[in-house]
Amino acid sequence: MKKKLSPTVFLAQAAMIAALYIVLTFIANALGLANYAIQVRFSEALTILPYFTPAAIPGLFAGCLLSNILTGCMPLDVIFGSLATLVGAFGTYALRKHKWLHHFHLSLRTSLSYLWYYPMFISLKAACLISH
């Protein structure tokens, strides 16, 4: 039986995961990979961490939220991108007993969030272009 994390350890792990997420996003941003329509974020490799510790759920959410704010992402990406990461982290944690299913869940979550988010983004950009 696995013992429960103390609140101090839980908070420390969540903070370290958030900090690592931010640092990795800043590295990708410095290389010109973390913004615009196509993004390559090294920090997305951390989305497997809820499989190992529940502290990764708030850590990933906080890291993604702060990264999106600090790198100047548009408000929709700040809100919905961070929420998609939160949903994905909960899903990975919930599916941790199924060794291979959580990988499928992450791919499915990312695909579904982009199917909903990017057509809305493109229509907003088109509306801005037409109005000018």
Side-chain angles (χ1 to χ4, degrees), residues 49-131:
L49 291 178
Y51 181 83
F52 302 104
T53 178
I57 297 168
L60 289 172
F61 175 68
C64 183
L65 182 68
L66 290 170
S67 293
N68 285 341
I69 292 169
L70 295 173
T71 57
C73 290
M74 60 184 266
L76 285 174
D77 197 22
V78 171
I79 295 166
F80 294 109
S82 300
L83 287 175
T85 298
L86 181 63
V87 168
F90 270 118
T92 300
Y93 182 74
L95 295 172
R96 70 191 180 283
K97 301 234 187 297
H98 308 283
K99 292 197 185 253
W100 300 105
L101 195 55
H102 67 276
H103 293 296
F104 174 72
H105 161 72
L106 289 173
S107 300
L108 183 64
R109 186 260 315 168
T110 303
S111 301
L112 291 177
S113 66
Y114 289 144
L115 283 174
W116 174 80
Y117 173 70
Y118 279 106
M120 183 174 66
F121 172 74
I122 291 168
S123 65
L124 287 173
K125 284 293 188 184
C128 287
L129 290 173
I130 291 170
S131 68

Side-chain angles (χ1 to χ4, degrees), residues 3-82:
K3 81 179 183 183
K4 189 175 179 185
L5 292 176
S6 74
T8 306
V9 171
F10 184 90
L11 185 61
Q13 284 183 355
M16 290 179 68
I17 290 167
L20 185 57
Y21 192 102
I22 292 167
V23 167
L24 290 172
T25 301
F26 270 100
I27 290 170
N29 193 38
L31 297 173
L33 301 172
N35 286 327
Y36 310 110
I38 307 274
Q39 297 182 8
V40 177
R41 286 198 173 181
F42 307 126
S43 49
E44 286 299 311
L46 300 176
T47 59
I48 192 67
L49 291 178
Y51 181 83
F52 302 104
T53 178
I57 297 168
L60 289 172
F61 175 68
C64 183
L65 182 68
L66 290 170
S67 293
N68 285 341
I69 292 169
L70 295 173
T71 57
C73 290
M74 60 184 266
L76 285 174
D77 197 22
V78 171
I79 295 166
F80 294 109
S82 300

